[in-house]
Amino acid sequence: MSRKMILRVPKFQEPKRMEKSEAQRLWLLLKDAIVEVQHMNASTLSFEELYRSSYSLVIAKRGDILYTGLEEVNNHHTKNLLDKIAQAVDERFLIELNSQWQQYKLQQIMIHDILMYLDRMYVKEPQLKVFDLGMFKWKQNVLIHSQINDRLVRMLLGLIHMERNGEVIDGALMKSLIQMYVDVSLKEKETYKQEFEERFLLATSHFYKSESNLFITNNSCGAYLKKVEIRLIEEEARIKQYLDESTGPKLIKACEDELIANHMQTMIEMETGCRTMIQNDRFNELKLMYRLFQRVENGLVHLKNEFAGYVRNEGHKIVNQPENLKDPNALITSLIEIRNRFEKTLSQSFANNRDFINSVNTAFESFLNENDKLSESLALFIDKKLRGGFKDSNDQEIDVIMNKVILLFRFLSDKDVFKKFYEHYLAKRLLSGRSFSEDLERTMISKFKQECGNQFTSKMEGMFTDMRLSKDALDGFKNYLQTSVEMGKLPKIDMSVRVLTQGFWPTFPPHSCTLPPLLSQYCDLFTKYYCHAHTGRRIIWQTNIGTAEVTFRLPKKTHVLALSTYQMLIMLLFNDAEKLSLKQMAAGTSISFMDIQRSVKPLYSGKYKVLKRTPAVEKSKELSENDIFELNLNLKCKLHRIKFAATSQTDSEPERQHTRQRVDEDRKIEIDAAIVRIMKSRKALIHNDLIVECTKQLSSRFVPQTSMIKKRIENLIEREYLERFPDDRRRYRYLA
Amino acid sequence: MESYSNLEKLSNDLKNLFPNEEESYFDFEIICEQNKISFKTHKAILSARSQYFKSLFKSKMKEYQENKLILKDFSSSIISSILNYFYSGKIEINLENAIEILIFSSKYLIDELIEFSSNFIKKHFQFETVVDVLKLSESMNFN
């Protein structure tokens, strides 16, 4: 049989009632000890004895005696301390206050330790914890007492003011006294906020308001910015050194308001301000301004608008400068230069901020489309580069320039106009064999393709295909000639033909002319050969853009002249005549008088004159129908081969107008297509909506004029694609 | 990164400090008043393991000055068990000592032992002792 185990209850812990006198005895013991602690005489007391007394009182349900007693003792003690502290004069005041506070805090920790059991087991909300009770008594009887609080805050603010003016103060003392406001706050630092922080922030605003007003009127903007930056760093340090961290954002906000927000307009407009900095590329000052403005609400908006305004203004000047209007190369070069300059400002000063970049781009868009010069100028700029302007640049430099071209291109609203000009000059380069490098041509085109897609470059690529196929066709023709029967009867000439697919190439204004019989025969032979090889094709001869080499025999010397086809025809006339008037030349060649003029001009007025005007007249004088020319048999030239420009690089006004006309023709088709596309999907639409939708769809290629869209709508109604609603004339219906 | 931990060995090694041999660098004595048995201990361990001892040393009062603490209300075996627990983190609770351990740990605010010992008592609640335990509980403000 096993003995049953039961819980052993110790005898001496039998609950017993505590007599009131015993409770009083224990309280007095503790009270004496607390007073000793308050007089820093604790070393002879027994911690265990005091702890045990507090424990016994609580166990005996007499915690109330202890708690209310403690409250009284603290009350009494803090009132005594107040008198002692308030008597201290001048700077002794802060030192006395601080040392009493430090001691008091230590005592309260010790009292809390002794009364730990009371604190844990007796104190219940809303009673204050033992330590908090001590803090509360200090606050009530010392800190916010009228003899202390105001005096203390004034002295603290005075010291901070001195420090802001460059004097050295006792940071540790400041920290301890300011922290006191936090320590006595029971929740959410309310005492600190009410009694200290609020007044401190007010004093700060006041200080910086007067300092900033004075400083900015007597210094440059750059110096002011540096001052602000230093001040902000100092205040950040102040937070770490002796303020409560919760004050940080408020303090910085107050400083930013006074130092930055209130002076933004001045900093932008003042003589040494933002405008001047942008003008003079003061990247570092702008960077600082950006950093500081960034800190305040809407700060960057001001800076951005100022910068964008400057960009627009500079761009406006460039695109309207008379020299630039005459010289496309200078125009584009200066545009690339300012673009580079502003990109540098963006990256060095404005951290490549997206908004800044966008507003600069908007500015570019607006001034680049101020007049319609840019599309052609840009095409001409590339034309010059691709005719050899890239000769001295390495791959990397070329790539940079091409990318800048694409960048400017991106801002053009009438990309179709640019495209037409580009195609036009590309055709000229290819046909006259003046393109510097096919690789570079293709690189440039691939960049446009990346930017705008296949459709944009398909014609350009077609031109290259034609050039290649033409070479094959010509080889085939030469073989054909060797085996041909007819060949034996004809004198040999070296003829080169390029077969251009209609549609890929710009249509050149049609001109007719009479070829000499020999050439005509060769042309017929080629036509015969080509149409045999490619059934179903038709060949139209475009003699006006061809070139020829002619042997020019002088009495003592022989030259080879590189001429345009027209010039050749004119020169050949002199085989049968000594003197010819322009009228006779026109008659003999069937070339229009205007083309005769243009062709003859380089022959008699260039560096090497193969024709002379008889009688000689001033060069500049306009040619007339009856002017007579004869061969210049006294030509002096060391070169064997003499090259004559058929036309100037830039197009003549009629040609340019022709190009524009073709753009307009193309636009009509595009607008028609867009309208039909929209109406087909929407079935019915109000006039204004149709205009808006149409403009939107076409915007990547060009900006259509509303009047043009209206005309196209009318035209489509006539052609019965659309009709107006009978009851609402502003609405259109799609007719399937 | 790999971390290694061997709490068992730590516990065993620290146990070598208590009850200790002569040369274990003790610096504080705890005396049981009932039978005058003295325990040689270390301030560093006690203050790391108990808020009571931490405050006691910090106060620089008599016990700190004399390096000696006299405990009145507890038997030496209970004091020994608790001190063992401070060093090794281990304690054995049985029907014999459960109530005393609860009383000790509640006086000196050793929260985890309060919880463990009171659970133990609840589990072994018996008819014979129910009145005593309830009285005790009432007097100690336990629920």
Side-chain angles (χ1 to χ4, degrees), chain A residues 301-528:
Chain A
V301 177
H302 281 80
L303 191 53
K304 183 187 77 184
N305 290 344
E306 187 59 31
F307 183 53
Y310 178 77
V311 172
R312 196 174 306 116
N313 201 26
E314 287 298 289
H316 174 81
K317 276 193 242 163
I318 287 174
V319 299
N320 289 300
Q321 219 166 51
E323 303 91 82
N324 285 342
L325 290 177
K326 275 184 250 152
D327 181 353
N329 215 42
L331 171 64
I332 303 300
T333 309
S334 358
L335 287 173
I336 291 177
E337 266 166 24
I338 61 158
R339 181 72 201 180
N340 286 341
R341 186 179 148 212
F342 294 139
E343 278 179 4
K344 202 169 170 198
T345 318
L346 283 169
S347 74
Q348 301 224 339
S349 303
F350 301 142
N352 277 330
N353 179 308
R354 268 275 117 211
D355 288 346
F356 278 57
I357 292 176
N358 288 343
S359 67
V360 166
N361 287 348
T362 310
F364 265 77
E365 236 169 76
S366 95
F367 68 72
L368 286 182
N369 294 300
E370 263 179 38
N371 56 41
D372 58 5
K373 269 275 172 209
L374 200 86
S375 295
E376 190 185 0
S377 300
L378 191 58
L380 273 169
F381 174 82
I382 310 169
D383 184 56
K384 189 166 182 195
K385 291 285 179 202
L386 288 171
R387 274 169 186 263
F390 279 142
K391 212 165 18 189
D392 303 322
S393 315
N394 64 31
D395 287 357
Q396 209 186 343
E397 288 162 355
I398 292 172
D399 196 57
V400 168
I401 293 176
M402 285 186 173
N403 287 339
K404 291 287 172 211
V405 165
I406 293 288
L407 191 84
L408 294 177
F409 164 74
R410 203 174 286 156
F411 298 129
L412 289 179
S413 51
D414 293 343
K415 294 190 171 55
D416 60 339
V417 177
F418 170 81
K419 178 172 176 262
K420 271 281 177 296
F421 278 114
Y422 191 87
E423 285 165 357
H424 181 80
Y425 290 117
L426 172 62
K428 282 192 150 189
R429 283 200 297 282
L430 292 178
L431 295 178
S432 61
R434 298 292 280 276
S435 175
F436 171 62
S437 146
E438 191 177 326
D439 277 353
L440 291 180
E441 293 279 3
R442 287 191 182 275
T443 313
M444 190 70 239
I445 288 174
S446 73
K447 284 182 189 286
F448 285 119
K449 194 173 179 173
Q450 255 178 18
E451 192 68 22
C452 297
N454 280 334
Q455 204 198 352
F456 193 83
T457 54
S458 62
K459 287 187 179 179
M460 303 176 191
E461 283 166 341
M463 291 188 211
F464 282 100
T465 313
D466 276 355
M467 293 301 284
R468 206 181 61 238
L469 293 177
S470 293
K471 201 172 161 290
D472 296 348
L474 203 60
D475 289 347
F477 179 57
K478 279 178 183 159
N479 286 336
Y480 168 78
L481 284 181
Q482 277 170 4
T483 58
S484 159
V485 211
E486 290 138 284
M487 191 51 212
K489 304 168 200 160
L490 286 173
K492 257 186 157 177
I493 59 168
D494 192 6
M495 185 172 83
S496 165
V497 179
R498 293 201 174 107
V499 186
L500 314 183
T501 310
Q502 198 158 29
F504 289 166
W505 299 74
T507 52
F508 297 96
H511 294 287
S512 60
C513 65
T514 313
L515 292 175
L518 181 60
L519 263 178
S520 263
Q521 277 173 308
Y522 265 92
C523 289
D524 292 344
L525 269 177
F526 184 84
T527 309
K528 198 174 152 196

Side-chain angles (χ1 to χ4, degrees), chain A residues 625-640:
Chain A
E625 276 192 322
N626 298 318
D627 285 341
I628 312 265
F629 287 88
E630 60 180 308
L631 292 177
N632 177 14
L633 300 175
N634 300 322
L635 174 72
K636 284 196 176 65
C637 173
K638 284 178 190 164
L639 297 170
H640 175 62

Side-chain angles (χ1 to χ4, degrees), chain A residues 184-354:
Chain A
V184 303
S185 304
L186 291 177
K187 52 172 189 271
E188 283 152 21
K189 302 176 179 171
E190 93 283 349
T191 313
Y192 171 76
K193 283 182 189 160
Q194 275 167 26
E195 306 298 332
F196 176 75
E197 188 187 61
E198 209 173 288
R199 293 173 65 181
F200 165 69
L201 291 175
L202 213 65
T204 300
S205 297
H206 192 73
F207 179 84
Y208 283 125
K209 188 187 284 300
S210 61
E211 184 189 68
S212 62
N213 281 332
L214 194 68
F215 197 90
I216 205 167
T217 37
N218 294 321
N219 291 279
S220 72
C221 184
Y224 180 74
L225 288 169
K226 279 181 195 127
K227 175 93 178 165
V228 171
E229 193 186 34
I230 291 168
R231 278 307 197 189
L232 289 169
I233 293 169
E234 283 172 4
E235 295 299 330
E236 295 277 3
R238 179 159 294 120
I239 297 161
K240 289 212 177 67
Q241 211 197 343
Y242 53 72
L243 295 168
D244 187 75
E245 59 175 7
S246 68
T247 305
K250 299 178 209 168
L251 171 61
I252 294 304
K253 170 84 169 55
C255 296
E256 286 167 349
D257 283 351
E258 292 302 334
L259 294 171
I260 305 171
N262 286 348
H263 295 291
M264 272 196 294
Q265 208 54 40
T266 317
M267 282 190 268
I268 283 173
E269 285 166 4
M270 66 197 283
E271 210 186 314
T272 52
C274 174
R275 276 175 206 164
T276 320
M277 292 176 190
I278 296 173
Q279 264 168 35
N280 298 322
D281 296 335
R282 307 283 282 268
F283 297 135
N284 286 336
E285 287 180 354
L286 285 172
K287 186 176 176 181
L288 182 54
M289 182 173 266
Y290 176 87
R291 268 213 315 269
L292 294 177
F293 276 35
Q294 194 174 28
R295 304 173 72 129
V296 301
E297 203 183 343
N298 286 328
L300 288 187
V301 177
H302 281 80
L303 191 53
K304 183 187 77 184
N305 290 344
E306 187 59 31
F307 183 53
Y310 178 77
V311 172
R312 196 174 306 116
N313 201 26
E314 287 298 289
H316 174 81
K317 276 193 242 163
I318 287 174
V319 299
N320 289 300
Q321 219 166 51
E323 303 91 82
N324 285 342
L325 290 177
K326 275 184 250 152
D327 181 353
N329 215 42
L331 171 64
I332 303 300
T333 309
S334 358
L335 287 173
I336 291 177
E337 266 166 24
I338 61 158
R339 181 72 201 180
N340 286 341
R341 186 179 148 212
F342 294 139
E343 278 179 4
K344 202 169 170 198
T345 318
L346 283 169
S347 74
Q348 301 224 339
S349 303
F350 301 142
N352 277 330
N353 179 308
R354 268 275 117 211

Side-chain angles (χ1 to χ4, degrees), chain B residues 8-25:
Chain B
E8 197 56 36
K9 180 161 168 38
L10 176 73
S11 165
N12 289 338
D13 289 352
L14 285 181
K15 217 188 245 166
N16 290 337
L17 292 174
F18 182 85
N20 52 20
E21 306 304 322
E22 298 273 318
E23 60 275 30
S24 77
Y25 318 109

Side-chain angles (χ1 to χ4, degrees), chain A residues 4-8 12 42-43 45-48 51-52 55 59 61 113-114 116-117 120, chain B residues 52 55-56 58 61-63 65 69 73 95-96 100 106-108 111 126 128-129 139-141:
Chain A
K4 194 181 172 194
M5 293 290 286
I6 58 164
L7 275 172
R8 191 176 71 83
F12 56 87
S43 61
L45 304 169
S46 159
F47 185 88
E48 164 62 16
Y51 185 92
R52 198 163 164 271
Y55 167 76
I59 290 287
K61 307 199 176 359
D113 285 350
I114 295 166
M116 206 187 315
Y117 197 83
R120 280 279 295 274
Chain B
Y52 169 82
S55 298
L56 178 127
K58 203 173 64 185
M61 287 184 185
K62 194 171 152 199
E63 290 82 357
Q65 308 288 343
L69 166 66
D73 305 330
L95 292 168
E96 271 297 298
E100 255 195 300
S106 100
K107 176 174 173 187
Y108 293 108
D111 293 333
Q126 290 143 327
E128 291 88 334
T129 55
S139 80
M140 300 289 295
N141 301 320

